Coordinates of all heavy atoms in Angstrom, one line a residue:
M18 N 7.1 -23.7 -55.1 CA 5.8 -24.2 -54.6 C 5.1 -24.9 -55.8 O 4.9 -24.3 -56.8 CB 5.0 -23.0 -54.0 CG 3.7 -23.5 -53.4 SD 2.6 -22.1 -53.0 CE 3.5 -21.4 -51.6
A19 N 4.6 -26.0 -55.5 CA 3.9 -26.8 -56.5 C 2.5 -26.2 -56.8 O 1.8 -25.7 -55.9 CB 3.7 -28.2 -56.1
E20 N 2.2 -26.1 -58.1 CA 0.9 -25.7 -58.5 C -0.2 -26.6 -57.9 O 0.0 -27.8 -57.9 CB 0.8 -25.6 -60.0 CG -0.5 -24.9 -60.5 CD -0.5 -24.9 -62.0 OE1 0.5 -25.2 -62.6 OE2 -1.5 -24.5 -62.6
R21 N -1.3 -26.0 -57.4 CA -2.4 -26.9 -56.8 C -3.5 -27.0 -57.8 O -4.2 -26.0 -58.1 CB -2.9 -26.3 -55.5 CG -1.8 -26.1 -54.5 CD -1.2 -27.5 -54.0 NE -2.2 -28.2 -53.3 CZ -2.0 -29.5 -52.9 NH1 -0.9 -30.1 -53.2 NH2 -3.0 -30.1 -52.2
F22 N -3.7 -28.1 -58.4 CA -4.8 -28.3 -59.3 C -6.1 -28.6 -58.5 O -6.0 -29.2 -57.4 CB -4.6 -29.5 -60.2 CG -3.3 -29.4 -61.0 CD1 -2.6 -30.5 -61.4 CD2 -2.8 -28.1 -61.4 CE1 -1.4 -30.4 -62.2 CE2 -1.6 -28.0 -62.1 CZ -0.9 -29.1 -62.5
V23 N -7.2 -28.2 -58.9 CA -8.4 -28.5 -58.2 C -9.4 -29.3 -59.1 O -9.5 -29.0 -60.4 CB -9.1 -27.3 -57.7 CG1 -8.3 -26.7 -56.5 CG2 -9.5 -26.3 -58.7
C24 N -10.2 -30.2 -58.6 CA -11.1 -31.0 -59.3 C -12.2 -30.1 -59.9 O -12.7 -29.2 -59.2 CB -11.8 -32.0 -58.3 SG -13.2 -32.9 -59.0
S25 N -12.5 -30.3 -61.1 CA -13.5 -29.4 -61.8 C -14.9 -29.6 -61.3 O -15.8 -28.8 -61.4 CB -13.5 -29.7 -63.3 OG -13.9 -31.0 -63.6
V26 N -15.2 -30.7 -60.6 CA -16.5 -31.1 -60.1 C -16.7 -30.5 -58.7 O -17.7 -29.8 -58.4 CB -16.7 -32.6 -60.0 CG1 -18.1 -32.9 -59.4 CG2 -16.6 -33.2 -61.4
C27 N -15.8 -30.6 -57.8 CA -16.0 -30.2 -56.4 C -15.1 -29.1 -56.0 O -15.2 -28.6 -54.9 CB -15.8 -31.4 -55.5 SG -14.1 -32.0 -55.5
D28 N -14.1 -28.7 -56.8 CA -13.3 -27.5 -56.5 C -12.3 -27.8 -55.4 O -11.8 -26.9 -54.7 CB -14.1 -26.3 -56.2 CG -14.0 -25.3 -57.4 OD1 -13.4 -25.6 -58.4 OD2 -14.6 -24.2 -57.3
L29 N -12.0 -29.1 -55.1 CA -11.1 -29.4 -54.1 C -9.8 -30.0 -54.7 O -9.9 -30.5 -55.8 CB -11.7 -30.4 -53.1 CG -12.9 -29.9 -52.3 CD1 -13.6 -31.0 -51.5 CD2 -12.5 -28.7 -51.4
T30 N -8.8 -29.9 -53.9 CA -7.5 -30.5 -54.4 C -7.6 -32.0 -54.4 O -8.5 -32.6 -53.8 CB -6.3 -30.1 -53.5 OG1 -6.7 -30.3 -52.2 CG2 -6.1 -28.6 -53.7
E31 N -6.7 -32.6 -55.1 CA -6.7 -34.1 -55.3 C -6.8 -34.9 -54.0 O -7.5 -35.9 -53.9 CB -5.5 -34.5 -56.1 CG -5.5 -36.0 -56.5 CD -4.3 -36.4 -57.3 OE1 -3.3 -35.7 -57.2 OE2 -4.4 -37.3 -58.1
D32 N -6.1 -34.5 -53.0 CA -6.1 -35.2 -51.8 C -7.3 -35.0 -51.0 O -7.6 -35.8 -50.1 CB -4.8 -34.8 -50.9 CG -4.7 -33.3 -50.7 OD1 -5.2 -32.6 -51.6 OD2 -4.1 -32.9 -49.7
R33 N -8.1 -34.0 -51.3 CA -9.4 -33.8 -50.6 C -10.6 -34.2 -51.4 O -11.7 -34.4 -50.8 CB -9.5 -32.3 -50.2 CG -8.5 -31.8 -49.2 CD -8.8 -30.3 -48.9 NE -8.3 -29.9 -47.6 CZ -8.7 -28.9 -46.9 NH1 -9.7 -28.2 -47.4 NH2 -8.2 -28.6 -45.8
C34 N -10.4 -34.3 -52.7 CA -11.5 -34.7 -53.5 C -12.0 -36.1 -53.2 O -11.3 -37.0 -53.1 CB -11.0 -34.6 -55.0 SG -12.2 -35.3 -56.2
L35 N -13.4 -36.1 -53.1 CA -14.0 -37.4 -52.8 C -14.8 -38.0 -54.0 O -15.6 -38.9 -53.8 CB -14.9 -37.3 -51.6 CG -14.2 -37.0 -50.2 CD1 -15.2 -36.7 -49.1 CD2 -13.2 -38.0 -49.9
C36 N -14.6 -37.3 -55.1 CA -15.3 -37.8 -56.3 C -14.8 -39.1 -56.7 O -13.7 -39.5 -56.4 CB -15.1 -36.8 -57.4 SG -15.7 -35.1 -57.1
E37 N -15.6 -39.8 -57.5 CA -15.2 -41.1 -58.1 C -14.1 -40.7 -59.1 O -14.4 -39.9 -60.0 CB -16.3 -41.8 -58.7 CG -16.0 -43.2 -59.0 CD -17.2 -44.0 -59.5 OE1 -18.3 -43.5 -59.5 OE2 -17.0 -45.2 -59.9
K38 N -13.0 -41.2 -59.0 CA -11.9 -40.8 -59.9 C -11.7 -41.8 -61.0 O -11.4 -43.0 -60.8 CB -10.6 -40.7 -59.0 CG -10.7 -39.7 -57.9 CD -9.4 -39.6 -57.1 CE -9.4 -38.6 -56.1 NZ -10.4 -38.9 -55.0
Y39 N -12.0 -41.3 -62.2 CA -11.7 -42.2 -63.3 C -11.3 -41.3 -64.5 O -11.5 -40.1 -64.5 CB -13.0 -42.9 -63.7 CG -14.2 -42.0 -64.0 CD1 -14.4 -41.5 -65.3 CD2 -15.1 -41.7 -63.0 CE1 -15.5 -40.7 -65.6 CE2 -16.2 -40.9 -63.3 CZ -16.4 -40.4 -64.5 OH -17.4 -39.6 -64.8
C40 N -10.6 -41.9 -65.4 CA -10.0 -41.2 -66.5 C -11.1 -40.5 -67.4 O -12.0 -41.1 -67.8 CB -9.2 -42.1 -67.4 SG -8.5 -41.4 -68.8
G41 N -10.8 -39.2 -67.6 CA -11.8 -38.4 -68.4 C -11.8 -38.8 -69.9 O -12.7 -38.4 -70.6
L42 N -10.8 -39.5 -70.3 CA -10.8 -39.9 -71.7 C -11.2 -41.4 -72.0 O -12.1 -41.6 -72.8 CB -9.3 -39.8 -72.3 CG -8.9 -38.3 -72.5 CD1 -7.4 -38.3 -72.8 CD2 -9.7 -37.7 -73.5
C43 N -10.7 -42.3 -71.2 CA -11.0 -43.7 -71.4 C -11.8 -44.3 -70.3 O -12.2 -45.5 -70.4 CB -9.7 -44.5 -71.6 SG -8.8 -44.7 -70.1
Q44 N -12.2 -43.5 -69.3 CA -13.0 -44.0 -68.1 C -12.2 -45.1 -67.4 O -12.9 -45.8 -66.6 CB -14.4 -44.5 -68.6 CG -15.4 -43.3 -68.7 CD -15.1 -42.5 -69.9 OE1 -15.1 -43.1 -71.0 NE2 -14.9 -41.2 -69.8
G45 N -11.0 -45.2 -67.6 CA -10.2 -46.2 -66.8 C -10.0 -45.8 -65.4 O -10.1 -44.6 -65.1
L46 N -9.8 -46.7 -64.5 CA -9.7 -46.5 -63.1 C -8.2 -46.6 -62.6 O -7.9 -46.3 -61.4 CB -10.6 -47.4 -62.3 CG -12.1 -47.3 -62.6 CD1 -12.8 -48.4 -61.9 CD2 -12.6 -46.0 -62.2
H47 N -7.4 -47.1 -63.4 CA -6.0 -47.4 -63.0 C -5.1 -46.2 -63.1 O -5.0 -45.5 -64.1 CB -5.5 -48.5 -63.9 CG -4.1 -49.0 -63.4 ND1 -4.0 -49.7 -62.2 CD2 -2.9 -49.0 -64.0 CE1 -2.7 -50.0 -62.0 NE2 -2.0 -49.6 -63.1
N48 N -4.5 -45.9 -61.9 CA -3.5 -44.8 -61.9 C -4.0 -43.5 -62.3 O -3.3 -42.7 -62.9 CB -2.3 -45.2 -62.8 CG -1.1 -45.5 -62.0 OD1 -0.9 -45.0 -60.9 ND2 -0.2 -46.4 -62.5
V49 N -5.2 -43.1 -62.0 CA -5.8 -41.8 -62.4 C -5.2 -40.7 -61.5 O -5.1 -40.9 -60.3 CB -7.3 -41.8 -62.4 CG1 -7.8 -42.7 -63.5 CG2 -7.9 -42.2 -61.1
R50 N -4.9 -39.6 -62.1 CA -4.4 -38.5 -61.3 C -5.0 -37.2 -61.8 O -5.4 -37.1 -63.0 CB -2.8 -38.4 -61.5 CG -2.0 -39.5 -61.0 CD -2.1 -39.6 -59.5 NE -1.9 -38.3 -58.8 CZ -0.7 -37.8 -58.6 NH1 0.4 -38.4 -58.9 NH2 -0.6 -36.6 -58.0
L51 N -5.1 -36.2 -60.9 CA -5.7 -34.9 -61.3 C -4.7 -34.1 -62.2 O -3.6 -34.0 -61.8 CB -6.1 -34.2 -60.0 CG -6.8 -32.8 -60.2 CD1 -8.1 -33.0 -61.0 CD2 -7.0 -32.2 -58.9
C52 N -5.2 -33.6 -63.2 CA -4.4 -32.8 -64.1 C -4.9 -31.4 -64.1 O -5.9 -31.0 -63.5 CB -4.4 -33.4 -65.5 SG -3.5 -35.0 -65.6
N53 N -4.1 -30.5 -64.8 CA -4.3 -29.1 -64.7 C -5.6 -28.6 -65.3 O -6.0 -27.4 -65.1 CB -3.1 -28.3 -65.3 CG -2.9 -28.6 -66.8 OD1 -3.6 -29.4 -67.4 ND2 -1.9 -28.0 -67.3
D54 N -6.3 -29.4 -66.0 CA -7.6 -29.0 -66.5 C -8.8 -29.4 -65.6 O -9.9 -29.2 -65.9 CB -7.9 -29.5 -67.9 CG -7.9 -31.0 -68.0 OD1 -7.7 -31.6 -66.9 OD2 -8.2 -31.5 -69.1
G55 N -8.4 -29.9 -64.4 CA -9.4 -30.2 -63.4 C -10.1 -31.6 -63.6 O -11.0 -31.9 -62.9
L56 N -9.6 -32.4 -64.5 CA -10.1 -33.7 -64.7 C -9.0 -34.7 -64.4 O -7.8 -34.4 -64.3 CB -10.5 -33.9 -66.2 CG -11.6 -32.9 -66.7 CD1 -11.8 -33.1 -68.2 CD2 -12.9 -33.2 -65.9
Y57 N -9.5 -36.0 -64.2 CA -8.6 -37.1 -63.9 C -8.3 -37.8 -65.1 O -9.1 -38.1 -66.0 CB -9.2 -38.0 -62.8 CG -9.3 -37.3 -61.5 CD1 -10.3 -36.5 -61.1 CD2 -8.2 -37.6 -60.5 CE1 -10.3 -35.9 -59.8 CE2 -8.2 -37.0 -59.3 CZ -9.3 -36.2 -58.9 OH -9.3 -35.6 -57.7
Y58 N -7.0 -38.2 -65.2 CA -6.6 -39.0 -66.4 C -5.7 -40.2 -65.9 O -4.9 -40.0 -65.0 CB -5.8 -38.2 -67.4 CG -6.6 -37.1 -68.0 CD1 -6.5 -35.8 -67.6 CD2 -7.5 -37.3 -69.0 CE1 -7.3 -34.8 -68.1 CE2 -8.3 -36.4 -69.6 CZ -8.2 -35.1 -69.1 OH -9.0 -34.1 -69.7
C59 N -5.8 -41.3 -66.6 CA -4.9 -42.4 -66.3 C -3.5 -42.2 -66.9 O -3.3 -41.3 -67.7 CB -5.5 -43.7 -66.8 SG -5.5 -43.9 -68.6
L60 N -2.6 -43.0 -66.5 CA -1.2 -42.8 -66.9 C -1.1 -42.9 -68.4 O -0.4 -42.1 -69.1 CB -0.4 -43.9 -66.3 CG 1.1 -43.9 -66.6 CD1 1.7 -42.6 -66.2 CD2 1.8 -45.1 -66.0
D61 N -1.8 -43.9 -69.1 CA -1.7 -44.0 -70.5 C -2.1 -42.7 -71.2 O -1.5 -42.3 -72.2 CB -2.5 -45.2 -71.0 CG -1.8 -46.5 -70.6 OD1 -0.7 -46.5 -70.2 OD2 -2.5 -47.6 -70.7
C62 N -3.3 -42.2 -70.8 CA -3.8 -41.0 -71.5 C -3.0 -39.8 -71.2 O -2.8 -38.9 -72.0 CB -5.3 -40.8 -71.1 SG -6.4 -42.1 -71.7
R63 N -2.4 -39.7 -70.0 CA -1.6 -38.6 -69.6 C -0.3 -38.6 -70.5 O 0.1 -37.6 -71.0 CB -1.1 -38.6 -68.2 CG -2.2 -38.4 -67.2 CD -1.7 -37.9 -65.8 NE -0.7 -38.8 -65.3 CZ -0.9 -39.8 -64.5 NH1 -2.1 -40.2 -64.2 NH2 0.1 -40.5 -64.0
E64 N 0.2 -39.8 -70.7 CA 1.4 -39.8 -71.6 C 1.1 -39.6 -73.0 O 1.8 -38.9 -73.7 CB 2.1 -41.2 -71.4 CG 2.7 -41.4 -70.1 CD 3.5 -42.7 -70.0 OE1 3.3 -43.6 -70.8 OE2 4.4 -42.7 -69.1
A65 N -0.1 -40.1 -73.4 CA -0.5 -39.9 -74.8 C -0.8 -38.4 -75.1 O -0.5 -37.9 -76.2 CB -1.7 -40.7 -75.1
C66 N -1.3 -37.7 -74.2 CA -1.8 -36.3 -74.4 C -0.8 -35.3 -73.7 O -1.1 -34.1 -73.8 CB -3.2 -36.1 -73.8 SG -4.4 -37.2 -74.6
D67 N 0.3 -35.8 -73.2 CA 1.3 -35.0 -72.6 C 0.7 -34.1 -71.5 O 0.9 -32.9 -71.4 CB 1.9 -34.1 -73.6 CG 3.3 -33.6 -73.2 OD1 3.9 -34.3 -72.3 OD2 3.8 -32.6 -73.7
L68 N -0.2 -34.7 -70.6 CA -0.8 -34.0 -69.5 C 0.1 -34.0 -68.3 O 0.8 -35.0 -68.0 CB -2.2 -34.6 -69.2 CG -3.2 -34.4 -70.3 CD1 -4.3 -35.4 -70.2 CD2 -3.8 -33.0 -70.2
Q69 N 0.0 -33.0 -67.5 CA 0.8 -32.9 -66.3 C -0.1 -33.2 -65.1 O -1.0 -32.5 -64.8 CB 1.3 -31.4 -66.2 CG 2.1 -31.2 -64.9 CD 3.5 -31.9 -65.0 OE1 4.2 -31.7 -66.0 NE2 3.8 -32.7 -64.1
A70 N 0.3 -34.2 -64.4 CA -0.5 -34.6 -63.2 C 0.0 -33.7 -62.0 O 1.0 -33.1 -62.0 CB -0.2 -36.1 -62.8
Q71 N -0.9 -33.7 -61.0 CA -0.6 -33.0 -59.8 C 0.7 -33.6 -59.2 O 0.8 -34.8 -59.0 CB -1.8 -33.1 -58.8 CG -1.5 -32.5 -57.4 CD -1.4 -31.0 -57.5 OE1 -2.4 -30.3 -57.7 NE2 -0.2 -30.4 -57.4
E72 N 1.6 -32.7 -58.8 CA 2.8 -33.2 -58.2 C 2.5 -33.7 -56.8 O 1.8 -33.0 -56.0 CB 3.9 -32.1 -58.1 CG 4.5 -31.8 -59.4 CD 5.5 -30.7 -59.3 OE1 6.4 -30.7 -58.4 OE2 5.5 -29.8 -60.1
A73 N 3.1 -34.8 -56.4 CA 3.0 -35.3 -55.1 C 3.7 -34.4 -54.1 O 4.8 -33.9 -54.4 CB 3.5 -36.7 -55.0
E74 N 3.2 -34.3 -52.9 CA 3.8 -33.5 -51.9 C 4.8 -34.3 -51.1 O 4.5 -34.8 -50.0 CB 2.8 -32.8 -51.0 CG 2.0 -31.7 -51.7 CD 1.0 -31.1 -50.7 OE1 1.5 -30.1 -50.0 OE2 -0.1 -31.5 -50.6
S75 N 5.9 -34.6 -51.7 CA 6.9 -35.5 -51.0 C 7.7 -34.8 -50.0 O 7.8 -35.3 -48.9 CB 7.8 -36.1 -52.1 OG 8.3 -35.1 -52.9
H76 N 8.3 -33.7 -50.3 CA 9.1 -33.0 -49.4 C 8.7 -31.5 -49.3 O 8.9 -30.7 -50.2 CB 10.6 -33.1 -49.7 CG 10.9 -33.0 -51.1 ND1 11.1 -31.8 -51.7 CD2 11.1 -33.9 -52.1 CE1 11.3 -32.0 -53.0 NE2 11.3 -33.3 -53.3
G77 N 8.2 -31.1 -48.2 CA 8.0 -29.8 -47.9 C 6.8 -29.0 -48.2 O 6.8 -27.9 -47.9
Ligands
LIG129 ZN1 -13.8 -33.8 -56.9
LIG130 ZN1 -7.3 -43.0 -69.8

């Protein structure tokens, strides 16, 4: 079962969160995903900081 990260602002999961999603590091808007600290990060920052994004619910 995938771990469910929740937004640090609204305490909802990524698919329910209605907050404005921008990168917590660079404020970028491109490809931001919720990570395990409850903040959103863009792809570049996730790779740079080795952050784990919420896994997509693809199967099951
Ligand atoms: Zn939120
Ligand atoms: Zn960023």
Side-chain angles (χ1 to χ4, degrees):
M18 184 191 286
E20 188 180 352
R21 301 294 292 172
F22 305 150
V23 293
C24 172
S25 64
V26 177
C27 66
D28 256 1
L29 295 173
T30 51
E31 183 176 27
D32 52 334
R33 292 182 156 204
C34 170
L35 296 175
C36 300
E37 191 174 359
K38 299 178 178 67
Y39 57 88
C40 177
L42 287 174
C43 72
Q44 276 76 55
L46 299 171
H47 187 64
N48 249 330
V49 292
R50 295 295 313 280
L51 184 60
C52 290
N53 62 358
D54 62 358
L56 298 175
Y57 288 85
Y58 295 102
C59 71
L60 179 61
D61 286 349
C62 292
R63 290 202 310 271
E64 289 187 341
C66 300
D67 205 21
L68 289 159
Q69 180 71 54
Q71 175 71 72
E72 284 179 51
E74 291 183 85
S75 50
H76 43 81

